[in-house]
Amino acid sequence: MKPNDFLSFISNPNLLIAVIPFAVLTITRLFGFEGLYGQDAYKYAEYTQAMISFFETGIWPSDFIWPVGYPFFSAVLNLFLPLSLAMQLVSVFSLIGIGLLVKNIQSSLYPKVNKEFDVWGVVCLVILSPYFLRASVVAMSDLQCAFFITLALRQFTIYRVSSKSKSIIWFAIAGSLAVMTRYPAALIIVPLGVLFLVEMVKKGVLPIAQIIIAIIFILTISYPQLGLRKSGSLNFLNHSLLESWSLNNFFSNSFFSADGSSVYKLPNLLFVVSPFVHPGFITLGFPLLLSAFYNRKFLINSWRILLLIAIYLLFLAGIPTQNQRLFFIIFPLVVLAEISWFEFLINRIKYKRYLVSAAIICQLTLFVYAISKPLERVRMERGITNHLKTLDSKSIIYTMDLDLCFNYYGVENKVYNLYYTAYNDFVKGSYVLVNPKLFTEQWQQLNPGKNWERLKSENLELLQSFKNGWELYVIQ
């Protein structure tokens, strides 16, 4: 292959939709990042292993706080690949699928859009979105859910354009899988389903056979949640964030919840605009919004998508927390609302290729910054767990948060979690792994803070200080 041919190959935007996610996966794994960090990823890893056991024994695993969609698909790949790689590949394939679906939906909604910049819009706004690209190498359910939501939207657009009744079945499958991957997807899928029914009424057609098949698929896909759970199948409706939803949270930036005390820079109502303007999502966010209001035709064409986005963002504005991860499942819809504005903006700039190139460089730089935090967390977790494995494995460890990675890294000690239980007595000779600053500030009014206050009255000997404020003590 000649150099010019190679450059032409790697600069093909259609190929970049697939090449970039795999390249990023390869590079990050070379740097030691396997996709697991924090808390949720290790929970998913633990349940993925439980799903493997289900495949082998037929015995359904114990209850899981989240729906089982992501662990199930990860477990299927884990039959052939190492656990962490299998979990990451689910996210990588999801990102590629989202890119292709956004491209197809864009072509249906705006057939007159310049095809070249249609694809470059997908590369810039979806594949190279710093936070979204980072999510593609993280072992969590966000991108899988976003893929199924985008697939459901694709089936809706197909039905609107061509009235293909089989789209009803595929919509039911995609929508059910989205909800069975992350429950909040219902806030998007249910309104989209209502819009689907409206389209059926408009067309004056009621395909009974397809509707019955769609219902069968919905019940089948929902069965792990509704039929196999040992405890109440709808327990997720009692989630603390749902119970504490309030209009007052729209205008607040400080909260007290099951996640402790937290103070943010912006009130929720401004924070939820992040996926439209935050450079971590879209570098050209503000110019795109300005171009949208300048040419309102695009706002009119996108009203259904904007309605779905508004419903979900208004829900987020009412919960007592702020987390950028919560925007991932809606982000492809945000891109679909903005990608036509991208084309409108690009076509009015003389040196458009320079703008696209600058945006790509900027986004890659922001991605490096975004991935540095998970990398730092992983290094911290490995450093702490390596040290813990040198201690007496028969001794108890009192801690919280970091204990979720102990099993993955081979820490054999029995763990007493400081979050779930308020302890009055502590076992002598046990270890205590805490972050005093967090326990004093964020968790002061909950069990972690109260347990730490009691622990300080014990005869504690500091054994080791780690990065990010974590300290290891032994109770004398």
Side-chain angles (χ1 to χ4, degrees), residues 106-115 118 297 343 347:
Q106 160 72 359
S107 299
S108 298
L109 292 177
Y110 309 102
K112 295 181 180 180
V113 168
N114 180 292
K115 296 303 177 184
D118 175 13
K297 174 184 68 175
E343 191 268 346
N347 283 344

Side-chain angles (χ1 to χ4, degrees), residues 171-364:
F171 174 83
I173 294 172
S176 300
L177 287 171
V179 177
M180 288 300 102
T181 301
R182 284 187 65 82
Y183 297 129
L187 294 164
I188 306 161
I189 295 299
V190 172
L192 185 55
V194 172
L195 292 174
F196 211 121
L197 289 173
V198 170
E199 288 299 321
M200 283 193 241
V201 172
K202 283 183 180 180
K203 295 177 185 298
V205 178
L206 194 63
I208 299 297
Q210 285 77 10
I211 292 174
I212 292 174
I213 294 172
I215 292 172
I216 292 172
F217 272 111
I218 291 172
L219 293 176
T220 302
I221 293 170
S222 304
Y223 181 66
Q225 172 65 31
L226 300 176
L228 293 177
R229 291 284 173 128
K230 296 178 182 178
S231 62
S233 59
L234 298 178
N235 277 353
F236 66 92
L237 294 176
N238 299 323
H239 195 284
S240 60
L241 292 181
L242 284 176
E243 293 178 338
S244 53
W245 192 95
S246 171
L247 288 173
N248 294 330
N249 293 331
F250 281 38
F251 311 101
S252 180
N253 69 328
S254 60
F255 308 101
F256 177 75
S257 67
D259 293 325
S261 301
S262 52
V263 179
Y264 304 98
K265 294 180 181 180
L266 298 173
N268 273 5
L269 203 55
L270 292 179
F271 172 73
V272 296
V273 184
S274 295
F276 284 95
V277 298
H278 195 293
F281 286 102
I282 296 179
T283 305
L284 299 173
F286 280 110
L288 290 177
L289 281 180
L290 291 175
S291 68
F293 286 105
Y294 179 78
N295 189 0
R296 298 182 184 180
K297 174 184 68 175
F298 291 125
L299 289 175
I300 296 172
N301 291 340
S302 305
W303 75 266
R304 293 177 184 84
I305 294 173
L306 290 170
L307 174 64
L308 298 173
I309 295 170
I311 292 171
Y312 182 71
L313 294 186
L314 287 174
F315 166 75
L316 293 188
I319 61 176
T321 190
Q322 294 183 12
N323 188 335
Q324 298 286 2
R325 268 191 64 202
L326 298 173
F327 297 125
F328 289 157
I329 67 172
I330 201 71
F331 184 65
L333 275 65
V334 172
V335 170
L336 282 165
E338 291 200 337
I339 201 166
S340 54
W341 310 339
F342 175 83
E343 191 268 346
F344 177 81
L345 178 66
I346 288 296
N347 283 344
R348 280 151 184 80
I349 296 176
K350 185 176 181 180
Y351 301 105
K352 58 190 70 177
R353 293 187 182 276
Y354 293 106
L355 176 65
V356 171
S357 300
I360 289 174
I361 293 171
C362 182
Q363 286 178 297
L364 288 173

Side-chain angles (χ1 to χ4, degrees), residues 11 13 16 20 119-121 123-125 127-130 133 283-284 342 352-368:
S11 64
L16 289 177
I20 292 173
V119 184
W120 276 114
V123 172
C124 287
L125 302 183
I127 304 300
L128 289 175
S129 167
L133 185 57
T283 305
L284 299 173
F342 175 83
K352 58 190 70 177
R353 293 187 182 276
Y354 293 106
L355 176 65
V356 171
S357 300
I360 289 174
I361 293 171
C362 182
Q363 286 178 297
L364 288 173
T365 303
L366 289 172
F367 166 75
V368 172

